[in-house]
Amino acid sequence: MVRRIACFFPIICLGFLVFTIIMGILFTPYDPYEVNTQEELTPPSSEHWFGTDHLGRDVLTRIVFGASYTLLFPAIVLLLSSLLGVVIGLISTIGRKVDLLTTAIMDSFSSIPSFLVAIIFAGLLGPGMVSTLFAILVSWWVHYARIVRNTSMIIRNQPFILSAQLSGTFGVKLIRKHIFPNALPIVRELIFLDMGTIILMISSLSFLGLGAQPPIPDWGGMILDGKSYIQIAPWVALIPSVFITIFVMLFYFMGRRVQ
């Protein structure tokens, strides 16, 4: 019973936080973009639960609105990168020449750290969420392609694959009916584990000024805005940092439970 509760605890926490964020977006009395110079750097109070930033904007309101950027965009990146990686990984199992070509492409991308590739592309494309998504997509698909390729190669040597081939199942039909369904569980697990990593990457790019641009309330950008006031108003940078940490940990534990 305790283990069952422990398995669902991260899901319950994530659901509660998402519900709270949605309610906050619907019912907050403040505008996340409205500047109020009379309430600059107001500490947490009954009116502003998480205080205000250097422009007098309510931090809690910017947190709940920023969640749509910090959580939705990583999900889009993971969906696109996993689809691209799975397709390329499965294509590599068609034949030896195709495998050599796709492996060479994957090795070329793997030779440079993913975050460095994301920084390079984000710098070339210019700051903004769209360029950030593309930059991370370019650097991240290779993880799924390599894992799906290696997993598929192991699956191809299993006895049931030989039985399928003896019954006349080859090519795309073999991949669709036997290889892909057996490689799917590890992809599902990786998506949950990678969600936290992508959140950190997008927040880091925003912190470096390459992600979402002001006044978009991205959590990484909020940390960037608050770092100059860390001594006199630590809540401006600390609160979005805490939310990033919480969501990264929740997705990590969810990924471990999917195993």
Side-chain angles (χ1 to χ4, degrees), residues 4-229:
R4 182 174 299 179
I5 295 175
C7 290
F8 287 100
F9 183 73
I11 300 176
I12 295 172
C13 290
L14 180 63
F16 174 76
L17 287 173
V18 171
F19 175 78
T20 304
I21 288 171
I22 294 174
M23 291 297 102
I25 293 175
L26 293 176
F27 297 107
T28 179
Y30 302 105
D31 187 335
Y33 305 104
E34 184 179 359
V35 176
N36 187 354
T37 56
Q38 296 180 352
E39 295 186 349
E40 295 179 359
L41 302 178
T42 301
S45 63
S46 59
E47 294 184 0
H48 301 282
W49 291 2
F50 290 170
T52 63
D53 62 8
H54 62 295
L55 296 177
R57 298 171 297 189
D58 184 67
V59 173
L60 176 57
T61 301
R62 290 181 61 79
I63 286 289
V64 297
F65 275 87
S68 59
Y69 297 96
T70 308
L71 300 179
L72 180 60
F73 282 98
I76 295 174
V77 170
L78 283 176
L79 177 62
L80 296 177
S81 59
S82 61
L83 287 175
L84 180 61
V86 167
V87 170
I88 295 177
L90 292 176
I91 289 175
S92 65
T93 64
I94 294 178
R96 180 171 177 79
K97 292 183 179 179
V98 177
D99 182 42
L100 290 175
L101 176 62
T102 55
T103 301
I105 295 174
M106 288 186 284
D107 288 342
S108 64
F109 277 90
S110 299
S111 61
I112 306 176
S114 299
F115 188 60
L116 180 58
V117 174
I119 291 177
I120 292 173
F121 274 88
L124 292 174
L125 297 174
M129 287 304 299
V130 176
S131 60
T132 298
L133 296 185
F134 182 78
I136 298 178
L137 173 62
V138 168
S139 65
W140 207 255
W141 68 267
V142 67
H143 297 277
Y144 291 92
R146 186 175 296 280
I147 290 175
V148 170
R149 181 260 178 195
N150 294 340
T151 304
S152 300
M153 289 300 181
I154 296 174
I155 294 172
R156 288 186 73 95
N157 295 322
Q158 299 300 315
F160 71 90
I161 295 295
L162 178 60
S163 300
Q165 291 174 332
L166 291 175
S167 65
T169 304
F170 295 96
V172 177
K173 186 177 181 180
L174 180 68
I175 293 174
R176 179 174 58 84
K177 294 188 64 176
H178 298 284
I179 297 179
F180 174 68
N182 286 279
L184 185 60
I186 192 170
V187 174
R188 184 176 64 245
E189 175 189 341
L190 281 174
I191 288 177
F192 281 102
L193 291 174
D194 288 348
M195 184 68 177
T197 304
I198 300 299
I199 290 174
L200 287 175
M201 289 183 67
I202 290 180
S203 299
S204 299
L205 289 174
S206 296
F207 181 79
L208 294 174
L210 298 174
Q213 298 299 295
I216 294 176
D218 177 78
W219 292 352
M222 293 176 66
I223 298 174
L224 175 62
D225 292 338
K227 72 179 182 66
S228 301
Y229 308 95

